[in-house]
Amino acid sequence: MTKKVSVVIPVWNPGRYIDRCIASLVAQTMPAEDFEVLFMDDGSTDGTQDRLDELATAHPHFVVHHLPNSGWPGKPRNFGIDRAAGEYVFFMDNDDALGAEALERMYAIGARNTSDIVIGKVISNFRGVPHQVFRYTRERCTVHDAPLFDSLTPHKMFRRAFLLDNGIRYPEGKRRLEDQLIMARAYFPAKSVSIVGDYVCYYYLKRDDGKNAGSTRIEPAAYYDNLREVLDVVEANTEPGEFRNSIQRRFYRGEMLGRVGGSGLLQYQPHYREALLAEVRRLTLEPRFAPEVHAGLPVLLRARSHLVREGNVEDLLTAAQRSNAIHARARLKSVQWQNATLRLTVDAWFTFAGERLELNQRHDRLSVSPELAPGVPEAQLECTDQVADLLADVTIRNRDTADEFFLPADLRCRRDVLRREDGQAVVSPRWQGDVHIDPSTALGGRRLPRGVWDVNVRLSGLGVSRTIRLGSDRDAAVSGAARSAIVGDEAIVVIPYWTDPYGNLSLDIDQHAKSIKDALTLRPAQVRLTGRIRPSGLTAQLPLIAGRKEFSGAELRLIERRTAAVRDQPMTVEPTADGLTASSRFRSGDGQPFPLTPGTWDILLIIPELGSTIPTRCGLVVRVPRYGASRVLVAPESSVRRVGVSDVRAVLRSVRREGVGATIRRLQD
């Protein structure tokens, strides 16, 4: 029977790490009759084979094939292609997970575009992912008009007939970069590729035993021989020119220069470092790379390429150390709600060794400082044409699931002149502008779900990319401006707060870890009583932004501390420009003034629609003296305490010095 999708999963001794994979497959919103899951057990010996058989018994659309151990995922995947009943085949690893709507969404976009390949948004909590590929959803694209080669993992959905018609098979046996080889062979003939960018389809999840696929150290000679096979596919499907150069540059930048810079190079043992550099250098010098491949690299990678080609190990190590000293900085200038959107004003810049990153400007030409690239000729350090590509992005990321999405931002790059010397200016790039967080649409048009969401700034350009949390560096006035809100048709509760101890900005959505009750704690200055001696009403300014027009069921509650007597009164809650205004009249059912017996009465607010019926203290109390009950005193809650002999003596001294009237007025104040 034909299915919409066949999910093919090579399995070998995953232990408990297969649990999250299975759970995510059981939770799929696509009806079970529309897809099948093919577990290709590659000779497991840890009991997984028996568990899979039990799983298949409980779920008829789960199928298990027990294969002799091949030692690598290529053969099980090919076996799955041959036996798949789905119109599309989706490849998954046994320790990863799918978003609940992944299969449904990916199949839908593929079917309506007759796509040969469907790429679902990928997120990881431990490894880098190509965020720019998933910046937005693409209904149809090809390798000629989208950065598909930035995504070379096989965890995608392929039209099965497309694989068969083009003879696309996985290489079998132990090898590296088999994923890149299969994707290079698939991208070129694909007439339509779709990208789901507004929903997280696939999760690369970290294993606490450190045995994620691809985590082992490469064997340089074998690895770069395998890379040559991938590059051969690129050459066979392209003509000399910039299209070929751009794809080759992606491999040159990632698989070659990416392995001989930064922290990795510095941590390698000398003998391994020597072997790795030798293989990378040998490949960089092959005639397959046109001079334009090197020349078109971002400036700091171009400098690294020069040092590798020259075999200048000493300067290459120094450059790696200095690259590690480049960081991002971001300052939060303001936070304010505009209707239902939180607007952040941001300043951001690169630093080097704790100071602003410097560029040298002579006339209209720009270059990076030679300090960043020792041993590199000055001509190789020019970056005039690359300044326009400097990019600042702001993302919001779920702390638990690692879901991450771009936020609408208008951050414009300018060049600050730091100083002038020797006939040239020393300048530094800086981004300034606004970021908007609409909780109703921030996740690719969908609302932010319950959880804690962090805000990150990512700066890219010149061959580096750095990410920093936003908030710890902020203007003084910002700290008190991050007000809580209840927004949108679904009444999303948003509680901005500063993390402890770093002071970064996070948003708690729908009271995941924070309570709206805490956010609504009032100060005496925010509460106003009508009538000083005999209050007839109360108005409280709640520090909460709200987009709703009405809040039903709100009450004012007075509770006497000693007797626990309760007085309830309806309360009106209305949104204003400064927040919510809650008001109530102290009247009984027949319209008479609110009767209060002697004692100390706490003032509490109950607003059920804010997510809790727990009363919120308003910071003031009403004190009704035992004698002279017509005189009601209003005081800050913190001032209410047990009266001692010293207090009585103080009152008597005041009466003798100031008189009874003045003493009463002072006590009332």
Side-chain angles (χ1 to χ4, degrees):
M1 179 179 176
T2 302
K3 303 282 187 178
K4 290 181 177 179
V5 180
S6 295
V7 182
V8 175
I9 308 173
V11 179
W12 184 75
N13 288 354
R16 60 188 173 87
Y17 296 102
I18 200 173
D19 292 350
R20 54 200 182 192
C21 171
I22 293 171
S24 71
L25 289 163
V26 172
Q28 288 301 297
T29 56
M30 176 176 277
E33 61 269 20
D34 287 344
F35 75 101
E36 63 177 356
V37 179
L38 305 181
F39 288 102
M40 302 298 162
D41 176 34
D42 196 40
S44 294
T45 58
D46 65 346
T48 298
Q49 60 274 45
D50 295 333
R51 183 182 178 191
L52 291 178
D53 288 339
E54 294 174 1
L55 186 70
T57 301
H59 300 277
H61 62 304
F62 286 15
V63 180
V64 182
H65 294 279
H66 297 287
L67 311 176
N69 181 253
S70 68
W72 220 247
K75 188 171 184 177
R77 285 172 178 160
N78 289 336
F79 193 89
I81 294 172
D82 294 337
R83 283 152 184 79
E87 178 187 352
Y88 281 88
V89 178
F90 183 87
F91 296 106
M92 183 178 182
D93 284 346
N94 62 193
D95 52 4
D96 295 330
L98 295 179
E101 301 174 26
L103 297 183
E104 185 177 11
R105 285 175 175 265
M106 293 179 73
Y107 177 80
I109 195 173
R112 67 175 173 261
N113 292 286
T114 320
S115 300
D116 295 322
I117 305 172
V118 181
I119 307 174
K121 182 178 176 67
V122 174
I123 284 298
S124 176
N125 61 359
F126 77 102
R127 60 181 289 183
V129 296
H131 294 286
Q132 295 297 334
V133 174
F134 310 113
R135 194 175 190 95
Y136 51 86
T137 294
R138 296 176 187 253
E139 290 285 330
R140 297 176 62 91
C141 63
T142 70
V143 73
H144 292 276
D145 55 23
L148 300 183
F149 270 92
D150 286 346
S151 178
L152 291 173
T153 57
H155 312 111
K156 299 172 174 62
M157 192 176 282
F158 299 83
R159 193 165 57 83
R160 183 170 180 267
F162 166 76
L163 295 176
L164 298 177
D165 292 347
N166 289 277
I168 298 173
R169 311 275 293 180
Y170 280 87
E172 299 183 2
K174 187 175 182 179
R175 55 167 292 132
R176 299 300 289 261
L177 300 177
E178 74 278 6
D179 297 347
Q180 297 194 5
L181 184 61
I182 195 78
M183 292 312 306
R185 289 173 175 170
Y187 277 147
F188 286 112
K191 294 181 173 60
S192 174
V193 178
S194 296
I195 300 175
V196 177
D198 59 353
Y199 182 81
V200 178
C201 296
Y202 199 90
Y203 291 87
Y204 295 124
L205 300 172
K206 186 177 183 179
R207 292 173 53 151
D208 53 23
D209 64 357
K211 294 183 179 180
N212 288 90
S215 60
T216 57
R217 179 176 287 185
I218 67 169
E219 299 175 6
Y223 181 89
Y224 286 105
D225 280 344
N226 292 155
L227 180 57
R228 286 180 176 88
E229 294 180 66
V230 180
L231 293 170
D232 288 343
V233 174
V234 175
E235 291 182 28
N237 287 276
T238 59
E239 298 293 332
E242 183 51 31
F243 178 59
R244 174 188 288 182
N245 294 343
S246 66
I247 299 176
Q248 288 182 327
R249 198 175 291 126
R250 177 256 175 266
F251 293 100
Y252 196 109
R253 183 180 67 242
E255 279 62 43
M256 296 162 63
L257 298 179
R259 291 191 174 273
V260 293
S263 301
L265 183 68
L266 299 172
Q267 294 171 0
Y268 296 146
Q269 295 296 320
H271 67 280
Y272 181 79
R273 181 191 300 143
E274 181 180 344
L276 178 64
L277 285 171
E279 291 299 329
V280 173
R281 182 171 186 266
R282 188 158 66 94
L283 184 52
T284 65
L285 295 175
E286 289 184 5
R288 73 168 74 235
F289 295 114
E292 291 79 10
V293 174
H294 166 85
L297 290 167
V299 59
L300 294 178
L301 292 180
R302 188 170 64 225
R304 188 183 304 173
S305 173
H306 173 84
L307 296 174
V308 169
R309 290 182 171 198
E310 294 295 317
N312 188 341
V313 178
E314 181 178 352
D315 284 336
L316 186 63
L317 290 172
T318 301
Q321 292 174 332
R322 294 177 181 175
S323 176
N324 287 347
I326 298 176
H327 300 287
R329 285 287 301 274
R331 185 170 182 81
L332 187 56
K333 305 290 290 182
S334 71
V335 176
Q336 62 178 327
W337 285 97
Q338 292 184 338
N339 297 322
T341 298
L342 188 63
R343 192 188 78 176
L344 315 177
T345 302
V346 177
D347 247 356
W349 59 92
F350 279 121
T351 66
F352 170 60
E355 303 294 333
R356 292 277 297 269
L357 180 69
E358 297 180 355
L359 302 178
N360 296 324
Q361 179 175 322
R362 186 179 297 276
H363 304 300
D364 59 346
R365 312 304 295 173
L366 290 167
S367 62
V368 299
S369 169
E371 188 178 5
L372 289 170
V376 178
E378 186 176 346
Q380 296 281 343
L381 302 181
E382 185 174 327
C383 59
T384 306
D385 297 336
Q386 297 179 17
V387 172
D389 297 327
L390 289 169
L391 182 64
D393 286 313
V394 183
T395 64
I396 190 164
R397 188 176 192 268
N398 185 286
R399 191 177 299 171
D400 295 327
T401 67
D403 288 17
E404 188 169 11
F405 287 83
F406 289 99
L407 292 171
D410 182 20
L411 298 180
R412 300 186 180 184
C413 187
R414 53 174 290 179
R415 294 200 295 271
D416 293 340
V417 177
L418 303 182
R419 62 184 182 277
R420 299 184 184 275
E421 55 186 30
D422 300 329
Q424 67 179 11
V426 177
V427 302
S428 182
R430 178 163 61 120
W431 290 264
Q432 293 177 300
D434 294 334
V435 181
H436 298 89
I437 306 176
D438 182 347
S440 299
T441 61
L443 250 62
R446 293 173 294 114
R447 63 157 286 173
L448 287 174
R450 189 171 187 263
V452 174
W453 294 81
D454 301 324
V455 183
N456 298 319
V457 177
R458 183 182 296 119
L459 306 183
S460 306
L462 307 177
V464 295
S465 179
R466 301 288 187 265
T467 300
I468 187 172
R469 287 279 303 278
L470 183 63
S472 61
D473 184 357
R474 59 184 184 269
D475 285 359
V478 171
S479 296
R483 302 172 67 182
S484 298
I486 179 168
V487 299
D489 294 336
E490 298 179 62
I492 306 170
V493 177
V494 184
I495 306 175
Y497 69 96
W498 311 107
T499 61
D500 183 18
Y502 300 109
N504 292 307
L505 176 64
S506 294
L507 305 183
D508 185 297
I509 302 298
D510 290 338
Q511 305 184 84
H512 177 73
K514 302 288 183 181
S515 171
I516 194 68
K517 176 176 176 288
D518 298 328
L520 291 179
T521 300
L522 298 176
R523 300 185 304 275
Q526 295 169 300
V527 183
R528 180 169 56 85
L529 288 151
T530 306
R532 292 286 298 168
I533 302 301
R534 186 175 295 170
S536 60
L538 172 145
T539 299
Q541 192 67 44
L542 305 180
L544 179 78
I545 303 299
R548 306 188 62 180
K549 294 182 179 180
E550 297 179 355
F551 291 84
S552 60
E555 288 184 332
L556 171 72
R557 176 169 294 174
L558 298 179
I559 302 178
E560 205 286 311
R561 290 188 175 182
R562 185 176 60 84
T563 64
V566 177
R567 300 286 187 269
D568 285 338
Q569 186 74 7
M571 185 168 59
T572 301
V573 180
E574 297 176 327
T576 64
D578 296 326
L580 288 184
T581 298
S583 58
S584 180
R585 300 288 293 172
F586 291 175
R587 298 288 176 182
S588 61
D590 58 3
Q592 297 301 311
F594 218 44
L596 295 180
T597 57
T600 299
W601 295 78
D602 289 312
I603 305 175
L604 302 103
L605 311 180
I606 303 175
I607 310 176
E609 292 192 358
L610 293 184
S612 174
T613 58
I614 300 175
T616 297
R617 293 185 180 275
C618 75
L620 293 182
V621 296
V622 175
R623 299 169 64 186
V624 182
R626 184 175 180 181
Y627 300 102
S630 61
R631 294 185 175 275
V632 179
L633 307 181
V634 180
E637 184 178 351
S638 59
S639 70
V640 178
R641 57 186 175 87
R642 183 178 296 275
V643 177
V645 174
S646 61
D647 297 294
V648 174
R649 288 173 177 170
V651 171
L652 292 175
R653 285 196 300 269
S654 177
V655 170
R656 286 196 299 268
R657 186 173 57 251
E658 303 175 9
V660 175
T663 299
I664 292 176
R665 286 192 295 272
R666 183 167 58 80
L667 291 174
Q668 290 175 346
D669 292 336

